[in-house]
Amino acid sequence: MKDPVEDQVKSSRRALQKSSELRRKGSSSRRRSQCKQEKLQETGLDSQLGSSASCKSLVFPARPGYGQLGTKCLVKANHFLADISASDLSHYTVLITPEVTSRKTSKAIIAELVRLHRNTELGMRLPVYDGGRNLYTAGLLPFAYKEFTILLSEDHEGTGGTREREFEVVIKFATRVSMHQLRELLSGKQVDTPQEALTVIDIVLRELAAQSYVSIGRFLYSPDLRKPQQLSGGLESWRGFYQSIRPTQMGLSLNIDMSSMAFIEPLPVIDFVAQILGKDVYSKPLSDADRVKIKKALRGVKVEVTHRGSFRRKYRISGLTSQPTRELNFPLDEKMNMKSVVDYFQEMYGYTIIYTHLPCLQVGSQKKVNYLPMEACKIVGGQRYTKGLNEKQITSLLKVSCQRPREQETDILQTIQQNDYEYNPYAKEFGISIDSKLASVEARVLPAPWLKYHDTGREKEYLPQVGQWNMMNKKVINGSTVRYWACINFSRSVQESTARGFCQQLVQMCQISGMEFSQDPVIPVYSSRPDMVKKALKYVHSASLDKLGGKELELLIAILPDNNGSLYGDLKRICETDLGLISQCCLTKHVFKINRQYLANVALKINVKMGGRNTVLLDALSWRIPLVSDIPTIIFGADVTHPESGEDPCPSIAAVVASQDWPEVTKYAGLVCAQPHREELIQDLFKCWKDPHHGIVYGGMIRELLLSFKKATGQKPLRIIFYRDGVSEGQFYQVLLYELDAIRKACASLETSYQPPVTFVVVQKRHHTRLFSNNHDDKNSTDKSGNILPGTVVDSKICHPTEFDFYLCSHAGIQGTSRPAHYHVLWDENNFTADEIQSLTNNLCYTYARCTRSVSVVPPAYYAHLAAYRARFYMEPDVREIAKSRGGRSKNESVRPLPALKEKVKNVMFYC
């Protein structure tokens, strides 16, 4: 028997190609011809469904026009107009022998070559080099192929000495880098983004700064931009800036943004160790745990010796000795005559080691290990700290980098002046000039939407002012019912009577907010130690079951210590994947200092976790939202979170949420899954496999959420809007191809003719565009924090020359400079106008369930992020440890699935 999904997917693929052709002719949408054919999902029998459409037939929609809605205003953006020479550039390949793995060394070799030969063999040309295999010039060199011999003096990290090495360098002509396509794109024609031309311009503009700054990706840092600030634990923050060239509607634009980064403080090693451990190491011996902590912090760090006067050899730390310095001996010669480290330093250098109770640093290779006393070494400056920061350090770094809009703008303008592109020899060579003024951009402030609350409250409808409001005189539109609840107190400092009083106040607030909430818990407040979490939860669950004669507990309130380690995660994992219990955690500090605003926010969270709604857009209830209210519409949010660099081999977590009510679109059910480490494509959107008893079986997150929408509303969705978070520009095609295809297959698996139109929008927060008020002193154009007003939207000048994207600052600033969200429509079968998608996105930002503020990212994307973050806790602690101990995991290796969410949990907003 033929697989109905296969037929449907093939026909939908033909339709997809056809619509692509129509778009290409009608709206001449951009095509990406260099993209290779992508394979679609191949899980189980999915590989039988035929190959996918080539991405040559997949095009991003062209901008359907500009938005008109809202109050017009002017804003400034941290984009600077770049003017480029019309002439083509030349690309040469570089081959260095013997092979060099360090980019720093490669750059030093080419810099020496340019210094020696620029005025002769290079024909006065000043090339730029990417540190790998590519060298670019503004015109042709006098040769197509040439070999050079270069002598370079460099530090040897194994022995700490300097050595002179000889390198053979071959420079060979590769191709011309055409500027024609870039000019076409900037003039508004639908062409592929000429990535190579942009890369060359990026390299040219970074070349000079990279010689005097520490270069990390697109960021450049220096201790001279601002005095480094201490972060504790031997770290300091350096100020720096981000720099990137972008094609925009106004032309080529240089995007400059400020940044702060943690660097290792250039301290004597012994002082660094004292700071890491936070205790006296000068007189007390180290424990095994101390030694492990130090070894982890120091491995790979570069140090210089200080016991030899001005002779400062540099070494890289490879380890730490297990014995203290006073017990260390080493073979002096091949006859294995042993010498103590203490005696050797005394006799060889006249240096008396004072802190002999401390271990020595191990430097050099495993074959020939050198021992260096900690007190004779100092950390070399300019080393970025790559390991995870603790909470105190994160707070300090945020404090240092947090700037009001006025200061941020001033710093950006100062950076442009300091970089002095006008006199930059590389920019001059390549004919690039940069404007020194921030781009002035036309913007619009979209109106806030009216919100509907319950008719029994004094304020039945409300129009938010400047992105925030409160629950005074309002009741939630759909209050949930909590009949059976209990409380566990995990905090030793909270007495039972205090916990009881807190719970009563919380119950009262829930009742005032419009919920039906039983006054008393099923059983008295139960106190437990944090390390007995599983036992406590099982006890309260079963005791409640007994008391209620088999009826289940509906809500658990948990009081946690302020610093609770793994307790929060363990509690959520057990409740949501084992007991099927909704929980609300409260920290001790809030129990002691009861704040009505805090209680009101917790009440909002409890209401949606229990299946209620807090507020609804008035336009939704009166069927007035374009392309949502006319036919049953489901709105998805999706995100993938990757492990931090410190937890490298752990799997990535994907989460998908989807609205479960129509026309309200405020309740979102969520599903989560683990997938291979750092995999960005969501693997479990659609699955099919062969079951020995039932034949072909279909599943996956999209299918399950479509079915739960049908169950909740009685209707199948006839339109899909998909907000996808966390995708970088380089992954747009790949993600769209794979995930749009999964959506199509999921729909076809439900009904062969079922193919609702899809709009696929990528949401980006990790970009570097900032918008500033045109006049910081005009109080009407800023919020209280000095940021632009919530609802400010920009779709011209600094946006893509041809594609459908916009920046939206939907939230009021709290501190620092607001970051607008960047929305990029990658697929649109619903034919949204600019006003329709911008207005829908902005209005949805007012429906976020956890607070009475409009939020910075559209709620379905925000909820997906919360759900993915929550699912990290579902990995059993032993699984996390096994993953770490096994080191890097290959993409093809199977990932242990997360424990399944209980039915009672996954249909409500448990992640809130």
Side-chain angles (χ1 to χ4, degrees):
M1 191 183 128
K2 260 185 145 183
D3 180 358
V5 179
E6 183 175 349
D7 282 348
Q8 181 54 38
V9 168
K10 281 178 180 172
S11 67
S12 75
R13 201 175 278 133
R14 283 194 293 272
L16 198 146
Q17 286 174 325
K18 204 170 180 183
S19 82
S20 298
E21 293 298 331
L22 287 170
R23 280 172 187 274
R24 193 160 52 233
K25 288 171 189 170
S27 57
S28 58
S29 286
R30 180 163 74 94
R31 191 154 60 97
R32 175 155 157 145
S33 59
Q34 78 267 26
C35 182
K36 292 174 185 160
Q37 185 160 321
E38 295 286 350
K39 281 174 86 180
L40 291 173
Q41 319 193 61
E42 295 191 359
T43 43
L45 292 186
D46 218 355
S47 55
Q48 298 172 16
L49 297 180
S51 65
S52 82
S54 157
C55 71
K56 287 185 182 181
S57 68
L58 187 71
V59 290
F60 296 158
R63 190 179 300 284
Y66 295 94
Q68 303 298 321
L69 196 66
T71 309
K72 289 188 175 161
C73 64
L74 272 180
V75 294
K76 287 176 285 189
N78 58 339
H79 285 244
F80 299 85
L81 188 61
D83 194 29
I84 54 163
S85 158
S87 54
D88 291 348
L89 310 176
S90 302
H91 174 202
Y92 293 83
T93 56
V94 173
L95 184 64
I96 301 173
T97 317
E99 191 181 351
V100 176
T101 51
S102 156
R103 288 174 71 86
K104 191 179 174 187
T105 305
S106 298
K107 287 205 152 204
I109 292 164
I110 299 301
E112 181 65 5
L113 186 152
V114 172
R115 188 183 70 79
L116 293 172
H117 301 290
R118 182 186 175 190
N119 295 343
T120 51
E121 274 89 341
L122 298 182
M124 301 298 289
R125 292 275 175 222
L126 182 61
V128 292
Y129 173 55
D130 70 353
R133 296 207 52 180
N134 304 298
L135 182 128
Y136 301 96
T137 58
L140 288 168
L141 292 173
F143 56 84
Y145 177 98
K146 200 164 187 69
E147 295 177 8
F148 298 87
T149 302
I150 301 295
L151 283 173
L152 189 72
S153 293
E154 58 176 355
D155 292 337
H156 189 266
E157 286 168 6
T159 63
T162 47
R163 59 177 178 174
E164 198 166 71
R165 290 177 71 194
E166 187 176 285
F167 297 95
E168 294 296 322
V169 181
V170 174
I171 296 177
K172 182 183 172 186
F173 178 75
T175 183
R176 291 183 84 88
V177 180
S178 170
M179 290 287 135
H180 173 71
Q181 209 171 339
L182 181 56
R183 286 193 299 278
E184 293 271 279
L185 176 66
L186 296 174
S187 69
K189 291 201 175 120
Q190 302 277 329
V191 293
D192 297 340
T193 300
Q195 209 51 59
E196 191 178 22
L198 293 172
T199 301
V200 180
I201 297 164
D202 248 334
I203 295 167
V204 171
L205 292 174
R206 292 171 56 79
E207 188 72 24
L208 190 64
Q211 291 168 16
S212 51
Y213 288 70
V214 174
S215 177
I216 298 163
R218 291 184 180 275
F219 295 86
L220 294 145
Y221 296 95
S222 167
D224 304 326
L225 278 178
R226 186 187 290 173
K227 189 170 178 258
Q229 304 287 305
Q230 289 199 336
L231 299 177
S232 81
L235 303 184
E236 61 184 13
S237 80
W238 281 22
R239 195 70 169 149
F241 63 93
Y242 167 91
Q243 177 176 295
S244 169
I245 203 88
R246 305 182 62 78
T248 66
Q249 290 170 39
M250 69 176 184
L252 258 194
S253 156
L254 183 68
N255 181 203
I256 298 270
D257 191 25
M258 303 315 294
S259 172
S260 292
M261 174 74 74
F263 281 76
I264 302 170
E265 222 178 318
L267 296 167
V269 170
I270 195 164
D271 295 348
F272 179 74
V273 166
Q275 284 209 32
I276 285 173
L277 299 177
K279 66 180 191 184
D280 172 22
V281 297
Y282 305 97
S283 56
K284 293 175 183 170
L286 301 179
S287 67
D288 287 345
D290 290 340
R291 192 178 276 104
V292 168
K293 198 172 179 183
I294 296 165
K295 188 175 178 180
K296 196 176 169 187
L298 284 175
R299 182 178 283 155
V301 173
K302 214 173 188 182
V303 293
E304 59 184 14
V305 294
T306 57
H307 63 288
R308 300 179 67 182
S310 59
F311 185 66
R312 297 248 168 159
R313 276 191 172 181
K314 292 184 176 70
Y315 299 87
R316 199 173 290 277
I317 300 170
S318 57
L320 208 62
T321 60
S322 51
Q323 301 149 285
T325 304
R326 60 172 166 247
E327 293 173 20
L328 276 178
N329 297 298
F330 66 96
L332 202 56
D333 49 36
E334 288 174 9
K335 294 177 183 172
M336 300 303 282
N337 289 315
M338 303 303 283
K339 187 91 173 168
S340 78
V341 169
V342 173
D343 290 347
Y344 178 80
F345 271 79
Q346 184 66 61
E347 291 167 19
M348 191 74 179
Y349 307 114
Y351 184 85
T352 306
I353 300 173
I354 301 165
Y355 305 110
T356 58
H357 63 287
L358 294 174
C360 269
L361 303 176
Q362 288 179 330
V363 297
S365 64
Q366 291 297 317
K367 289 177 187 170
K368 189 177 183 238
V369 177
N370 285 346
Y371 299 133
L372 291 175
M374 285 186 184
E375 65 204 76
C377 296
K378 182 176 184 283
I379 290 168
V380 174
Q383 295 180 80
R384 175 194 172 196
Y385 184 72
T386 54
K387 301 169 181 89
L389 300 174
N390 63 35
E391 272 190 42
K392 189 181 176 186
Q393 289 165 338
I394 290 168
T395 304
S396 301
L397 187 60
L398 287 173
K399 200 173 174 184
V400 166
S401 53
C402 182
Q403 281 187 302
R404 291 282 189 204
R406 194 193 294 258
E407 287 87 65
Q408 180 104 329
E409 185 187 321
T410 304
D411 274 9
I412 289 168
L413 287 167
Q414 270 177 1
T415 301
I416 277 282
Q417 284 165 6
Q418 279 166 351
N419 290 353
D420 204 2
Y421 297 103
E422 196 181 337
Y423 295 102
N424 180 322
Y426 296 96
K428 208 174 249 183
E429 172 86 6
F430 283 79
I432 301 169
S433 63
I434 307 292
D435 196 349
S436 60
K437 294 191 294 292
L438 290 155
S440 184
V441 186
E442 282 187 7
R444 289 166 290 115
V445 181
L446 300 177
W450 278 89
L451 301 177
K452 181 75 180 82
Y453 284 95
H454 200 275
D455 286 339
T456 55
R458 287 229 306 261
E459 291 182 352
K460 301 169 183 58
E461 294 167 7
Y462 190 75
L463 182 65
Q465 305 299 313
V466 200
Q468 48 195 330
W469 63 103
N470 58 45
M471 286 298 291
M472 280 175 68
N473 304 321
K474 302 174 195 70
K475 288 186 188 294
V476 294
I477 188 161
N478 298 117
S480 56
T481 301
V482 180
R483 290 162 299 177
Y484 311 126
W485 63 277
C487 173
I488 302 182
N489 172 22
F490 289 103
S491 180
R492 266 202 337 216
S493 58
V494 176
Q495 299 295 317
E496 192 184 323
S497 57
T498 310
R500 213 169 38 240
F502 171 77
C503 287
Q504 289 310 315
Q505 295 226 35
L506 181 56
V507 167
Q508 193 182 13
M509 181 57 80
C510 288
Q511 291 165 343
I512 291 166
S513 299
M515 295 170 64
E516 282 185 41
F517 210 116
S518 295
Q519 198 64 40
D520 298 311
V522 172
I523 58 171
V525 172
Y526 181 77
S527 293
S528 168
R529 286 188 358 222
D531 58 354
M532 306 289 279
V533 58
K534 191 166 190 173
K535 191 178 172 188
L537 289 168
K538 292 270 169 91
Y539 169 75
V540 168
H541 188 253
S542 61
S544 302
L545 211 59
D546 293 345
K547 183 87 183 282
L548 295 168
K551 287 180 186 167
E552 294 235 333
L553 198 61
E554 293 170 339
L555 175 70
L556 175 76
I557 295 167
I559 296 170
L560 310 186
D562 293 335
N563 297 313
N564 56 71
S566 65
L567 174 60
Y568 175 84
D570 292 341
L571 184 143
K572 291 295 183 185
R573 185 184 74 251
I574 296 162
C575 283
E576 290 159 10
T577 67
D578 187 3
L579 303 175
L581 184 55
I582 298 298
S583 58
Q584 178 59 53
C585 295
C586 303
L587 292 177
T588 298
K589 62 184 177 185
H590 298 303
V591 172
F592 281 130
K593 191 181 177 184
I594 297 176
N595 174 300
R596 286 190 69 78
Q597 183 61 56
Y598 169 75
L599 291 177
N601 279 354
V602 174
L604 291 177
K605 291 173 72 169
I606 290 173
N607 188 46
V608 294
K609 286 179 185 181
M610 297 304 297
R613 285 190 198 88
N614 293 339
T615 188
V616 173
L617 296 170
L618 192 61
D619 278 358
L621 294 178
S622 50
W623 309 88
R624 286 201 304 251
I625 302 178
L627 296 177
V628 171
S629 299
D630 54 340
I631 53 173
T633 298
I634 187 168
I635 302 181
F636 284 92
D639 190 19
V640 178
T641 66
H642 303 294
E644 290 173 21
S645 52
E647 324 166 48
D648 239 355
C650 295
S652 292
I653 305 280
V656 180
V657 304
S659 57
Q660 299 294 292
D661 52 352
W662 180 80
E664 298 93 342
V665 290
T666 51
K667 280 185 185 181
Y668 290 82
L671 297 172
V672 291
C673 71
Q675 57 185 44
H677 176 66
R678 297 256 152 216
E679 174 60 75
E680 186 53 55
L681 306 176
I682 302 177
Q683 303 296 293
D684 279 6
L685 288 181
F686 174 74
K687 294 187 291 189
C688 71
W689 62 94
K690 193 160 193 172
D691 183 275
H693 305 295
H694 306 100
I696 294 173
V697 180
Y698 302 112
M701 297 198 278
I702 298 285
R703 191 177 195 274
E704 193 172 334
L705 289 164
L706 290 171
L707 286 169
S708 61
F709 180 96
K710 173 93 188 297
K711 190 177 174 186
T713 64
Q715 304 181 78
K716 63 183 180 187
L718 298 179
R719 177 185 292 116
I720 293 173
I721 300 168
F722 197 95
Y723 285 103
R724 176 65 156 91
D725 197 3
V727 183
S728 64
E729 284 172 4
Q731 297 170 312
F732 279 4
Y733 279 92
Q734 206 185 1
V735 167
L736 178 63
L737 264 174
Y738 188 90
E739 296 183 6
L740 183 62
D741 192 73
I743 294 167
R744 294 224 181 284
K745 287 176 179 172
C747 293
S749 74
L750 294 168
E751 205 177 296
T752 48
S753 59
Y754 178 49
Q755 283 297 308
V758 178
T759 296
F760 193 105
V761 186
V762 165
V763 188
Q764 292 174 304
K765 276 290 277 184
R766 290 186 178 179
H767 60 82
H768 291 272
T769 293
R770 299 288 181 274
L771 302 174
F772 303 102
S773 168
N774 195 46
N775 177 2
H776 292 287
D777 297 319
D778 178 7
K779 299 297 174 209
N780 294 323
S781 68
T782 61
D783 60 22
K784 282 183 197 167
S785 67
N787 279 290
I788 54 171
L789 294 168
T792 302
V793 66
V794 168
D795 61 3
S796 64
K797 206 161 181 181
I798 58 168
C799 291
H800 194 277
T802 59
E803 290 168 12
F804 190 4
D805 70 327
F806 58 93
Y807 291 95
L808 171 65
C809 183
S810 49
H811 65 298
I814 298 174
Q815 57 178 5
T817 303
S818 294
R819 187 195 308 238
H822 183 222
Y823 296 90
H824 205 125
V825 182
L826 299 190
W827 191 256
D828 184 24
E829 293 170 328
N830 291 298
N831 298 318
F832 273 93
T833 65
D835 275 332
E836 284 166 349
I837 194 72
Q838 289 165 13
S839 185
L840 170 65
T841 304
N842 185 57
N843 290 352
L844 286 173
C845 290
Y846 284 79
T847 66
Y848 184 64
R850 303 202 323 167
C851 59
T852 50
R853 297 177 70 90
S854 62
V855 286
S856 61
V857 169
V858 70
Y862 206 144
Y863 294 146
H865 178 76
L866 292 177
Y869 185 78
R870 170 65 57 82
R872 279 238 162 263
F873 298 125
Y874 299 164
M875 286 191 290
E876 298 278 354
D878 59 317
V879 176
R880 289 199 289 268
E881 290 312 310
I882 291 165
K884 285 184 192 182
S885 66
R886 282 167 65 182
R889 163 200 296 279
S890 78
K891 280 268 173 104
N892 300 324
E893 195 178 327
S894 63
V895 174
R896 182 164 164 180
L898 296 172
L901 288 167
K902 293 292 180 185
E903 285 300 319
K904 198 171 154 190
V905 172
K906 67 181 171 191
N907 291 323
V908 294
M909 296 168 73
F910 67 92
Y911 44 80
C912 273

